């Protein structure tokens, strides 16, 4: 494979045998292989045990499992989308095809526009802008399609200030790239590759973090058809549509079903339905200081965020990071006990029991040692007393020994003194 892979286009799943996510992907991956074969695609589908062939996995920068890559010549494209058959097949067909796809006629343009909700088109001849467009396409082809066309192929309602130009078609309208206002072409395409209004989930919110836009979300319950849930969703949709020209450079709009993911992100319990604006680049968020009654209230709230008068909460400071670690640990423990109380007791009870036994053993060992030392000290003192005083025989022998040490003159003098005393 390593020697011959450049002769073909490969879609490879790098997996580990023990990985649960890899096992979950396996039936989907088999369906992907069958689908690509039935389509007559030139892409070959395979999988590799990255633990057995770690050198090849390292060569392609595999750091987690499963990792899906499309290998095309010297390039390796990472797949970061949902792990469904249709999404993976669409990714493979997009990346394996031409980098820039020409649109030779209006009929072809209309056909492609119906198939793609977001459409990037380069208009014009050879230029430095086209070279930059091709360079950006080679990087961002993993996310979206790139096309080229002449000016007469575009719809009549499109007016371009100058040529060459890069245009994005979405939400029933179009936007022309302006280097002065939009900055780098790669950043602009990355920002504009989403529709103006989305049904946001955790994965989409993660992807939106690369755009640098603020995300205004109506957090609702899709199953709840009450007036308040429907009203907040409609307000966000109206702002995204009616104020598109004002806010599309800075804001992404959408709604999210349920507040579980938002609660985890904000480390707080939000009462739904509600509206929240997220800054996914630094984990800050904004909550309206009063009830959003209509579109005008929402527009005022957005303007307050843009001019800095709205209070930002959260962030990625040190205190917030510590708080998040504590929150994540607490959430993990609670979720384990909720899903499987017995497993939770085993996972957390066993280590605590082992630690308790160790502590008890250490404390007990210290107590016994103290008693032994006390007894040894007491015994040593008793021996010292016996040694100092001794028995009567020992004292008498000691006395006699002292006498023998005296000289003859001292003995005579002592006898004389005793006689005088008598």
């Amino acid at each position: 494979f390593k020697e011959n892979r450049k002769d073909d286009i490969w879609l490879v799943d790098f997996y580990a045998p023990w990985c649960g996510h890899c096992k979950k992907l396996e039936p989907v991956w088999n369906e992907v292989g069958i689908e690509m074969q039935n389509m007559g695609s030139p892409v070959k589908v395979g999988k590799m045990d990255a633990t057995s062939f770690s050198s090849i996995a390292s060569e392609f920068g595999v750091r987690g499992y499963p990792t899906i890559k499309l290998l095309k010549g010297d390039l390796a494209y990472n797949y970061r989308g949902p792990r469904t058959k249709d999404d993976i097949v669409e990714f493979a067909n997009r990346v394996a095809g031409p980098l820039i796809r020409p649109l030779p006629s209006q009929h072809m343009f209309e056909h492609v526009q119906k198939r793609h909700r977001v459409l990037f088109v380069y208009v014009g001849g050879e230029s430095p802008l086209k070279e930059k467009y091709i360079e950006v396409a080679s990087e961002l082809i993993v996310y979206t399609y790139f096309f080229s066309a002449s000016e007469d192929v575009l719809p009549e309602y499109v007016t371009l200030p100058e040529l060459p130009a890069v245009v994005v078609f979405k939400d029933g309208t179009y936007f022309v790239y302006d280097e002065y206002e939009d900055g780098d072409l790669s950043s602009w395409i990355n920002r504009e590759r989403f529709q103006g209004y989305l049904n946001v989930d955790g994965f989409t919110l993660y992807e939106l973090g690369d755009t640098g836009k603020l995300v205004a979300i109506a957090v609702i319950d899709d199953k709840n058809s009450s007036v308040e849930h429907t009203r907040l969703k409609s307000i966000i949709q109206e702002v995204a549509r009616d104020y598109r020209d004002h806010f599309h450079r800075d804001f992404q709009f959408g709604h999210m079903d349920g507040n579980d993911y938002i609660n985890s992100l904000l480390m707080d319990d939000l009462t739904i339905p509600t509206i929240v604006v997220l800054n996914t680049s630094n984990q800050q968020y904004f909550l309206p200081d009063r009830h959003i009654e209509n579109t005008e209230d929402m527009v005022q709230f957005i303007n307050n965020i843009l001019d800095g008068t709205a209070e930002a909460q959260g962030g990625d400071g040190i205190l917030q990071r510590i708080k998040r670690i504590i929150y994540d640990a607490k959430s993990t423990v609670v979720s384990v006990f909720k899903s499987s109380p017995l497993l939770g007791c085993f996972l957390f009870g066993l280590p605590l029991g082992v630690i308790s036994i160790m502590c008890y053993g250490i404390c007990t060992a210290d107590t016994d040692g103290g008693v032994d030392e006390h007894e040894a000290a007491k015994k040593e003192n008793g021996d010292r007393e016996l040694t100092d005083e001794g028995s009567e025989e020992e004292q008498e022998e000691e006395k006699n020994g002292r006498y023998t040490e005296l000289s003859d003159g001292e003995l005579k003098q002592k006898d004389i003194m005793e006689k005088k005393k008598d």
Side-chain angles (χ1 to χ4, degrees), residues 100 118-122 129-130 132-147 165-168 170 175-178 182-195 210-211 213:
I100 309 296
V118 179
L119 191 67
F120 289 97
V121 182
Y122 172 82
L129 180 60
K130 185 175 183 179
K132 182 65 176 177
Y133 183 73
I134 294 173
E135 180 184 340
V136 172
S138 65
E139 174 189 354
L140 300 181
I141 188 69
V142 294
Y143 299 120
T144 187
Y145 287 88
F146 292 88
F147 298 89
V166 178
V167 188
V168 58
K170 64 177 184 177
F175 302 99
V176 181
Y177 167 67
D178 186 326
D182 299 315
D184 181 65
L185 178 62
S186 177
S187 300
W188 178 76
I189 291 178
N190 202 30
R191 288 196 304 271
E192 298 298 334
R193 62 187 175 91
F194 294 96
Q195 291 178 277
D210 294 336
T211 66
K213 289 186 178 183

Side-chain angles (χ1 to χ4, degrees), residues 264-280:
S264 175
L265 193 66
L266 273 55
M267 295 181 290
D268 196 4
D269 292 328
L270 286 182
T271 303
I272 58 174
T274 189
I275 289 176
V276 60
V277 176
L278 303 172
N279 186 342
T280 53

Side-chain angles (χ1 to χ4, degrees), residues 117-118 168-175 192 194-198 240-241 244 248 252:
R117 297 175 179 176
V118 179
V168 58
F169 294 86
K170 64 177 184 177
D171 303 325
T173 186
Y174 68 95
F175 302 99
E192 298 298 334
F194 294 96
Q195 291 178 277
Y197 185 89
L198 297 170
R241 182 185 67 244
R244 180 186 294 119
H248 87 274
Q252 177 68 50

Side-chain angles (χ1 to χ4, degrees), residues 203-223:
F203 175 78
T204 306
L205 199 58
Y206 173 79
E207 288 291 298
L208 289 172
D210 294 336
T211 66
K213 289 186 178 183
L214 299 174
V215 186
I217 303 175
V219 186
I220 62 173
D221 182 358
D222 276 339
K223 297 178 181 178

Side-chain angles (χ1 to χ4, degrees), residues 218-226 229-230 233 255-259 272-274:
V219 186
I220 62 173
D221 182 358
D222 276 339
K223 297 178 181 178
N224 192 324
S225 58
S226 65
H229 287 255
T230 305
K233 182 179 177 180
H255 76 274
M256 176 173 281
D257 181 21
N259 61 347
I272 58 174
T274 189

